[in-house]
Amino acid sequence: MEATQKHIIQDGSSMFYHQPSVKQMDISVQTFDSYCTLESSSGTKSHPCPNNNITSSTTSFSSNGSPVSHSNNNNNTSHLSPDNNNSPLSGSSATNNNETELSLMLKDLETAMMEPDLDNSFNGYEFGQQQQQHRAASSAMYRSMEMISRGDLKGTLYECAKAVENCDVAMTDWLISQLQQMVSVSGEPVQRLGAYMLEGLVARLASSGSSIYKALRCKDPTGPELLTYMHILYEACPYFKFGYESANGAIAEAVKNESFVHIIDFQISQGGQWVSLIRALGARPGGPPRVRITGIDDPRSSFARQGGLELVGQRLGKLAEMCGVPFEFHGAALCCTEVEIEKLGVRNGEALAVNFPLVLHHMPDESVTVENHRDRLLRLVKRLSPNVVTLVEQEANTNTAPFLPRFVETMNHYLAVFESIDVKLARDHKERINVEQHCLAREVVNLIACEGVEREERHEPLGKWRSRFHMAGFKPYPLSSYVNATIKGLLESYSEKYTLEERDGALYLGWKNQPLITSCAWR
């Protein structure tokens, strides 16, 4: 996309990029100047529905978190999707004028719906069908306007998703214009999530979801200071600590009598997971083992491309030296789909631990490609005969789910995450907005806007992962009671609304009894 084609609105903290299009809905790509840059232009594909007549409409958010609507009014509301469960939202941002307008429209619809049916035998079968469709559309419109009037944001989002799914152009455009007045990146958790789900719906229409996913990839600092938005999220919520500490506990147990330990981490990131394990191994009775870590990171990450893996190795090496642990680090900028045994540097005589921290759900499976890299990688790891394999994943079912069930699953899962963030980060905290946008919004947009190979967020529930590990020849390696006690102590420093459940040798971390993250081990 040429620079002259971009309309840039800058408020001092973020920039919104809009690519004009005559017959498709534009999508604003939100980026934060300090860490993120657009890595590719917005999509220019046509709307996936035939006879696309969607009016030009963009969704962006101003510096105070209020939506800025740029849409052409369209009152053609002949179709709407069926009703959904009610989710009342206090503090709706609809104005009094808007409520009055809705009330008048509701009265008109009530009158229209009370009109008697015309004689189908006189007007013909086709006219009778048209009347039936008109009555159904009027009923759906009535229900939707009731949702909007009482501030039911979840229900309105679902209705908009159904309109998108049904290629209901006019109703989609109208619902988006209404939703723009209900969402806010600095409001209630459901309003903040709603802002990014709305962004995902518009991106789905514009076929620009993949571009946004790439644009919102965090650009980690390349200096010695490794403070990023992900680190802020790490401190604000226990999800990462839960995964790291439970995996470390399983690894420490599996190699407790070994002298040479090789850890293959398929998502090394900034190496924070291994700090506590290196310290624990340094204090091990009888002396520490020799530790070697192979850290794999996505080559598309600017952190990996700009020497970040070397910084991780240096940082962990200094820590290991302080703890008296003989240490070696090897960084590998590899996509998991490109991994082969010879690239992992496995040596004879080493106890091998393989770590999959929130990464396997990015691997395409048999529903995406005939190569089925998800199962291929598990079989490859099994050939290495590891002492232990640790798996941490989000407890969600979005991999093969059709669009609408996936939309609901995304809403329920991420709403719990957004609610939990409020415990540690205030609503008006600028870093909270950055954290949610860069670490969570890109996932939400990808889940809603993308299909096929472009959809990289493909979560599966633990039951499905169990089946895959069993088919690859693995057996469960139950987590010890010591690991459970450690995690329980960790959660005490956060909120009593976090829940921990042990089931069939695995741990489930939840928010208000809704499981969000699972951790288990295999051998």
Side-chain angles (χ1 to χ4, degrees):
M1 180 172 59
E2 298 294 333
T4 54
Q5 292 178 303
K6 295 178 182 176
H7 300 281
I8 304 177
I9 305 172
Q10 189 163 2
D11 62 3
S13 63
S14 61
M15 297 196 311
F16 309 95
Y17 294 77
H18 307 280
Q19 182 179 9
S21 178
V22 176
K23 287 190 175 183
Q24 71 183 32
M25 201 168 294
D26 297 329
I27 178 66
S28 65
V29 180
Q30 304 178 4
T31 61
F32 283 80
D33 204 26
S34 57
Y35 286 99
C36 297
T37 58
L38 283 176
E39 296 185 5
S40 63
S41 61
S42 299
T44 57
K45 299 177 184 178
S46 61
H47 182 269
C49 298
N51 303 321
N52 176 25
N53 293 313
I54 292 182
T55 60
S56 177
S57 175
T58 61
T59 305
S60 60
F61 300 92
S62 65
S63 58
N64 64 2
S66 301
V68 181
S69 174
H70 310 276
S71 61
N72 300 328
N73 291 333
N74 189 335
N75 294 324
N76 182 8
T77 55
S78 57
H79 304 287
L80 190 62
S81 51
D83 194 11
N84 186 39
N85 59 306
N86 298 334
S87 304
L89 170 66
S90 61
S92 171
S93 58
T95 63
N96 292 332
N97 290 337
N98 193 41
E99 291 176 356
T100 302
E101 180 183 349
L102 284 173
S103 298
L104 293 174
M105 293 175 69
L106 284 170
K107 289 181 179 179
D108 291 341
L109 278 172
E110 285 178 344
T111 302
M113 291 170 64
M114 292 300 293
E115 291 177 356
D117 285 327
L118 296 177
D119 187 357
N120 288 350
S121 62
F122 177 82
N123 293 283
Y125 176 73
E126 285 189 10
F127 186 76
Q129 274 194 324
Q130 292 175 1
Q131 288 293 103
Q132 189 174 12
Q133 292 172 358
H134 175 72
R135 183 175 293 275
S138 298
S139 177
M141 167 66 82
Y142 181 85
R143 293 194 302 270
S144 293
M145 286 193 296
E146 278 194 324
M147 287 182 183
I148 294 170
S149 66
R150 65 174 177 261
D152 184 357
L153 180 52
K154 289 178 66 177
T156 308
L157 282 167
Y158 180 78
E159 290 299 322
C160 189
K162 289 208 70 174
V164 171
E165 173 76 357
N166 295 332
C167 299
D168 196 334
V169 173
M171 188 53 55
T172 297
D173 203 29
W174 179 76
L175 283 171
I176 286 176
S177 70
Q178 297 300 311
L179 284 166
Q180 287 171 343
Q181 303 174 61
M182 301 171 72
V183 301
S184 169
V185 296
S186 59
E188 299 280 339
V190 68
Q191 290 178 301
R192 305 197 311 264
L193 174 61
Y196 302 123
M197 296 194 77
L198 177 58
E199 192 87 353
L201 287 172
V202 181
R204 185 178 180 88
L205 294 171
S207 299
S208 61
S210 180
S211 298
I212 294 174
Y213 188 71
K214 295 174 183 177
L216 291 179
R217 181 175 289 114
C218 291
K219 183 186 247 184
D220 300 282
T222 55
E225 182 182 358
L226 294 177
L227 181 62
T228 64
Y229 299 133
M230 192 64 73
H231 180 74
I232 297 173
L233 185 61
Y234 175 87
E235 293 296 333
C237 301
Y239 304 121
F240 294 104
K241 289 183 181 179
F242 161 79
Y244 291 169
E245 294 306 317
S246 59
N248 286 354
I251 293 172
E253 178 71 20
V255 303
K256 62 183 178 182
N257 297 318
E258 303 291 341
S259 300
F260 299 92
V261 177
H262 182 195
I263 299 171
I264 300 177
D265 187 352
F266 275 89
Q267 184 60 61
I268 188 67
S269 187
Q270 296 173 6
Q273 174 172 351
W274 308 116
V275 173
S276 62
L277 182 61
I278 290 174
R279 287 173 176 164
L281 293 176
R284 192 175 74 171
R290 182 176 295 274
V291 176
R292 188 162 64 96
I293 294 180
T294 297
I296 299 172
D297 199 3
D298 191 333
R300 295 173 299 177
S301 165
S302 59
F303 184 69
R305 292 197 309 267
Q306 299 176 17
L309 286 174
E310 294 182 9
L311 291 173
V312 170
Q314 294 170 10
R315 178 172 176 246
L316 293 178
K318 291 179 180 178
L319 174 66
E321 184 178 0
M322 292 172 56
C323 297
V325 177
F327 183 79
E328 181 182 343
F329 181 86
H330 171 65
L334 287 172
C335 286
C336 289
T337 56
E338 302 171 347
V339 171
E340 299 294 344
I341 288 181
E342 56 271 16
K343 297 179 181 180
L344 299 177
V346 177
R347 301 171 187 170
N348 293 329
E350 291 180 327
L352 181 62
V354 177
N355 187 49
F356 288 116
L358 297 168
V359 65
L360 272 184
H361 70 269
H362 289 141
M363 295 285 288
D365 70 345
E366 67 277 7
S367 68
V368 181
T369 173
V370 293
E371 286 85 1
N372 189 1
H373 291 290
R374 189 170 296 196
D375 289 338
R376 181 194 72 85
L377 184 58
L378 292 180
R379 292 193 298 268
L380 182 150
V381 169
K382 185 65 176 67
R383 287 164 55 193
L384 301 176
S385 301
N387 293 58
V388 65
V389 177
T390 54
L391 173 71
V392 178
E393 277 294 344
Q394 291 163 262
E395 183 67 5
N397 186 16
T398 65
N399 182 27
T400 58
F403 171 63
L404 281 177
R406 186 170 76 243
F407 185 89
V408 174
E409 183 83 352
T410 300
M411 182 186 298
N412 292 335
H413 179 86
Y414 283 92
L415 179 56
V417 176
F418 274 68
E419 287 178 351
S420 68
I421 289 176
D422 273 12
V423 174
K424 292 287 186 178
L425 295 180
R427 300 262 175 95
D428 58 354
H429 196 302
K430 181 179 182 296
E431 293 305 320
R432 182 199 52 73
I433 296 177
N434 292 345
V435 165
E436 290 177 348
Q437 183 175 50
H438 288 284
C439 302
L440 299 173
R442 63 188 302 267
E443 298 178 5
V444 172
V445 170
N446 186 258
L447 281 163
I448 295 173
C450 299
E451 299 292 347
V453 295
E454 290 186 343
R455 183 156 63 84
E456 299 186 33
E457 302 294 334
R458 293 181 167 272
H459 312 100
E460 291 185 318
L462 183 54
K464 182 62 177 178
W465 289 116
R466 289 185 190 275
S467 298
R468 293 190 185 277
F469 272 82
H470 280 301
M471 286 189 296
F474 289 99
K475 294 181 179 180
Y477 186 86
L479 299 175
S480 69
S481 58
Y482 173 76
V483 173
N484 299 352
T486 301
I487 301 301
K488 288 180 181 178
L490 170 69
L491 294 181
E492 290 177 358
S493 63
Y494 283 90
S495 170
E496 69 279 359
K497 294 180 181 179
Y498 286 106
T499 57
L500 183 67
E501 180 184 2
E502 181 182 2
R503 195 190 315 160
D504 300 325
L507 290 179
Y508 293 74
L509 174 62
W511 174 259
K512 298 180 180 178
N513 293 315
Q514 178 183 345
L516 297 178
I517 305 288
T518 60
S519 179
C520 58
W522 303 81
R523 64 184 314 169

